[in-house]
Amino acid sequence: MEEKKIDLNSIIGFVLIFGILIWIMYQNQPSDKEIAAEKAKKELVAKQEAQAKSAKTKTAFLPVAAVTPGDTVQLANLQKSLGGFAYSATLPSAKEGFTTIENEKIKLKIANKGGYIVEATLKEFKKFEKKSGQLVQLIKDNNSNLNIQLQTTDNRTLNSKDLFFEPTLTKNGADQILTMRLKASANEFLEYKYVLKANEYLVGFDIRSQGLNKVLNSSRPLDLVWDLKTYRNEKSVAYDNRFTEVKYEYGDEKFSSVSSHGQGKEESPEKLKYVAFKQHFFTSILITDKPFETSKLQSDDLVKDEKIDTIFTKQFKATVPLAFSNGEIEYKMNWYFGPADYKVLKSYDKNLEKIIPLGWGIFGWINQWIFIPLFGFLASFIPYGIAIIIFTIIIKIAMSPITYKSFLSQAKMKVLRPEITELGEKYKKDPMKKQQETMKLYNKAGVNPMAGCIPALIQLPFMYASFQFFPSAFELRQKSFLWADDLSSFDAVVKLPFNIPMYGDHISLFPILAAIAIFFYMKMTSGDQQMAAPQQEGMPDMAKMMKIMIYVSPLMMLIFFNSYGAGLSLYNFISNLITIGIMFVIKNYIVDTDKIHTQIQENKLKEPKKQSKFQQRLQEVMEQQEAAKKVKK
């Protein structure tokens, strides 16, 4: 019996598939301290008086909390030393405290000290421990701060995060407006304004100064520094961390990211429009209407050991300049605290959806124009697990003509195999002549040897697009199906008492089913294609390698997909099952080898078709090589 072989086209396809698979797998203060706090305030005022006198300046920028209405003696001395530019005794005192604004989606807590957000809670989403009922908090427990380095005219540097702002909360219909002012006087201040609308994740955030041209050194921009240490919000630390990175838009709708591995730093030479501290399924974004001229972005990986480092994933930092205009600062910006959901981000029409990793080029187009609309439509009225199955069926049926074309080409090559073997024996000592006669046979029989490879290559973008789509599909988060309690994470059915390198400390079932399906699919195709390609020198070794790959491919599925989302493994399992079914139907009910043989023989009697440009060029190259060979002899 002749040994079974697999054709070169399939080898190319599988090598590409394996390459892609490997590539895609990386406050309140206690009352007993109040007296001490007051004492510290008075000491600060005294210190600043001394500094003002020694510098003989008429300007100063002091924390509001440093002066209280009752400090009349200190105010008189301060006004005298500052030439009349100081706090008015009628101003209310800024002090430790917090202001909360919230709507149906988010809850924000803003501190007087620093005037920035110290808590950002998403009210509709829970962390991976669903039973605990703990809501997702992007900011809490001092994991983030916002600071402006204030350069004064007397050559001092003050940090806004250390100074006290005075809050004023108003409402305009459903809008909540929180104004935070760091005052030098009633009409001289630095202001943060937060505007929260109903049912929105987007928060208005304006920064402006008024009357501070004598206080601040406007010869150079002020540095705005935003940093965030990202909390882990998903079941798998590694999976969550893999998709946590800094994304940003700059220049003319250009998009990039900072390396998510180890320590990454980027400096944008063009105008920055937004910077996103993106986690797997949630993101914090700072957006500006007036682009920042430059930026310094940094990302540090905090997960060194997945067993120990289970609270935080990355440390992010962004430094951008706030430029002066006529001696003042004025920037209209927005914060976004919410889900990294393509449809939600796209609804704001600010290119925020570009932070979702859908793949570049044709892969992104497939996801954007086919996968996202189709899956979104299906998931709108049926359970998510069933939606994945129906989604897969639709995609595979749509691709079935390509599968048929590939199988038909293999069948034709199989029919021609005896004649190609005969040519190989006849021109055994003249490889160039053998290739020329083989090409003539293909042309005469009306067979394109590349026809089997091209359909396989057409399917590759759809396969790769699925590897980008399912990990990014926010809709799958915490959606259950069968034994999988979360389709966006691994579906562990057994918890191992030890950790297997590259595999993990659990056994997921969907990857096992997908691996079994891949095994039988490769077994089936290698058997069906045993005579699809001519025997060539080196093919016996290649055939042995392919036999090994029949077992290696399922093993790779088990290893790489054990910690991947169950939704992707379910898609691969159903996809391979359907492909096996389609191949079975094509082989047994559609493609008739006898008819193909008859048709080829009829084609041989006809006038040979005109060669394609590729065939003509290939023929010319072979003839030139043959002529050069004769000249050399």
Side-chain angles (χ1 to χ4, degrees), residues 86-320:
Y87 296 101
S88 169
T90 60
L91 290 176
S93 173
K95 58 185 178 181
E96 286 279 8
F98 305 92
T99 305
T100 300
I101 56 176
E102 61 182 306
N103 59 18
E104 299 84 351
K105 295 185 180 295
I106 59 174
K107 179 180 179 181
L108 303 177
K109 185 177 180 181
I110 297 95
N112 290 352
K113 185 176 182 180
Y116 60 87
I117 298 169
V118 293
E119 284 188 13
T121 304
L122 305 184
K123 301 168 71 172
E124 297 177 314
F125 307 104
K126 296 179 180 179
K127 293 188 68 175
F128 58 93
E129 310 101 333
K130 290 194 297 182
K131 293 181 180 179
S132 68
Q134 186 177 359
L135 295 175
V136 170
Q137 288 186 290
L138 300 181
I139 299 177
K140 68 172 183 175
D141 299 336
N142 299 316
N143 73 316
S144 176
N145 67 65
L146 185 77
N147 181 52
I148 298 178
Q149 294 181 340
L150 304 168
Q151 305 294 328
T152 67
T153 54
D154 59 344
N155 297 321
R156 287 184 297 146
T157 299
L158 302 176
N159 292 306
S160 65
K161 67 178 182 179
D162 299 326
L163 307 178
F164 290 84
F165 287 66
E166 182 182 308
T168 303
L169 179 62
T170 60
K171 290 189 176 182
N172 182 10
D175 298 350
Q176 300 171 66
I177 304 171
L178 175 62
T179 302
M180 307 290 293
R181 287 184 175 177
L182 178 60
K183 294 184 176 180
S185 71
N187 297 314
E188 298 167 314
F189 51 81
L190 175 69
E191 177 184 273
Y192 295 167
K193 184 167 73 173
Y194 300 87
V195 180
L196 181 61
K197 299 179 181 294
N199 207 36
E200 290 281 356
Y201 294 109
L202 204 65
V203 184
F205 179 59
D206 298 345
I207 296 179
R208 74 181 184 97
S209 64
Q210 179 175 303
L212 298 182
N213 54 318
K214 295 181 180 180
V215 178
L216 298 179
N217 183 355
S218 59
S219 62
R220 60 179 182 177
L222 302 179
D223 282 340
L224 173 67
V225 182
W226 173 37
D227 61 73
L228 176 70
K229 188 187 292 185
T230 58
Y231 281 101
R232 163 205 178 188
N233 287 308
E234 310 306 325
K235 183 165 60 175
S236 171
V237 179
Y239 206 49
D240 194 9
N241 196 33
R242 184 180 303 161
F243 297 98
T244 299
E245 57 185 336
V246 178
K247 298 271 193 173
Y248 58 96
E249 180 187 4
Y250 66 99
D252 185 16
E253 293 192 359
K254 299 176 183 177
F255 302 91
S256 188
S257 61
V258 180
S259 174
S260 59
H261 304 289
Q263 185 181 69
K265 294 182 179 180
E266 293 282 347
E267 291 191 21
S268 175
E270 299 185 61
K271 296 182 177 181
L272 185 77
K273 296 181 178 179
Y274 71 70
V275 56
F277 292 166
K278 180 189 174 296
Q279 298 170 248
H280 188 183
F281 285 126
F282 300 98
T283 185
S284 306
I285 310 175
L286 178 61
I287 312 151
T288 178
D289 290 346
K290 181 170 68 174
F292 303 118
E293 291 296 328
T294 60
S295 64
K296 294 181 181 179
L297 308 174
Q298 183 172 336
S299 171
D300 296 313
D301 193 348
L302 302 179
V303 181
K304 310 302 180 184
D305 187 336
E306 295 176 10
K307 294 296 181 183
I308 300 174
D309 305 322
T310 60
I311 298 177
F312 299 101
T313 53
K314 294 279 194 335
Q315 174 75 60
F316 295 142
K317 183 177 181 180
T319 303
V320 294

Side-chain angles (χ1 to χ4, degrees), residues 8 15 120 169 184 263 370 372 381 411 447 515 630:
L8 185 58
V15 168
L169 179 62
Q263 185 181 69
I370 299 177
I372 290 177
F381 61 90
V447 174
K630 290 180 179 179

Side-chain angles (χ1 to χ4, degrees), residues 69 75 88 158 245 250 359 374 464 485 515 525 537 544 569 609:
L75 278 171
S88 169
L158 302 176
E245 57 185 336
Y250 66 99
L374 177 59
Y464 177 70
D485 59 356
T525 53
E537 185 179 353
K544 290 179 181 179
S569 298
K609 293 182 179 179

Side-chain angles (χ1 to χ4, degrees), residues 16 115 153 161 342 349 367 370 377 464 486 495 548 558 612:
L16 288 172
T153 54
K161 67 178 182 179
Y342 181 87
D349 196 26
N367 279 321
I370 299 177
F377 170 74
Y464 177 70
D486 187 349
K495 179 70 175 178
I548 295 174
L558 289 176
S612 65

